[in-house]
Amino acid sequence: MSRSSRLADLLPWTVKRDTSGTEPDPRFTFANERTFLAWSRTALALVVAGLGIVQLLPPFPGVPVGRHLLGVPLIVLGAVLAVVAYAEWVRSQRALRLGRPLPRSMLPWLLAATIAGIAVIAAIVLLLSALR
């Protein structure tokens, strides 16, 4: 399957008309939707945290770009997380309809790796700020 056809499968009108397979138990559909909404809340919280860091945190002495080094990756992670959460909702819903095993989620790894990276950046910014 080509990349463009995989992306086309994620478009809302394609998902809406997906009638292959059988209608899954509504409880599973609602659980899938709740999972999507939980990831969406996490994405929104990351964007707000990033904006708060960039706009409200006092500047770090000696590291003028410190706030941006911490806040911008959180905003970008929130945006990526929102899009990937939707893609995973579509994949899971399709698997439910076709009676296939649910696909493995890459969201926990993506979130953990990025937050660990931001924690390392935060430690470096704080150390540089303390040395000046």
Side-chain angles (χ1 to χ4, degrees):
M1 181 180 268
S2 71
R3 172 173 255 154
S4 61
S5 67
R6 282 187 294 200
L7 289 175
D9 285 345
L10 298 176
L11 297 173
W13 52 85
T14 306
V15 173
K16 186 176 181 180
R17 72 170 186 243
D18 186 7
T19 57
S20 59
T22 59
E23 187 67 28
D25 185 330
R27 293 174 293 178
F28 299 133
T29 299
F30 292 143
N32 189 29
E33 185 175 317
R34 283 191 305 273
T35 302
F36 165 71
L37 292 173
W39 283 114
S40 295
R41 284 189 303 271
T42 302
L44 182 60
L46 288 167
V47 170
V48 170
L51 285 171
I53 288 170
V54 170
Q55 294 297 315
L56 302 174
L57 193 67
F60 290 98
V63 188
V65 297
R67 295 182 302 173
H68 290 84
L69 286 174
L70 298 174
V72 172
L74 288 173
I75 295 168
V76 171
L77 175 61
V80 169
L81 194 61
V83 172
V84 174
Y86 175 75
E88 292 216 358
W89 172 79
V90 170
R91 289 176 41 217
S92 295
Q93 194 62 26
R94 192 161 290 134
L96 286 170
R97 290 188 72 80
L98 299 175
R100 294 184 182 150
L102 293 177
R104 295 187 101 179
S105 176
M106 64 180 203
L107 288 176
W109 179 88
L110 174 71
L111 191 61
T114 307
I115 289 176
I118 292 169
V120 169
I121 292 171
I124 292 170
V125 167
L126 287 174
L127 287 174
L128 289 174
S129 177
L131 293 175
R132 295 186 182 228

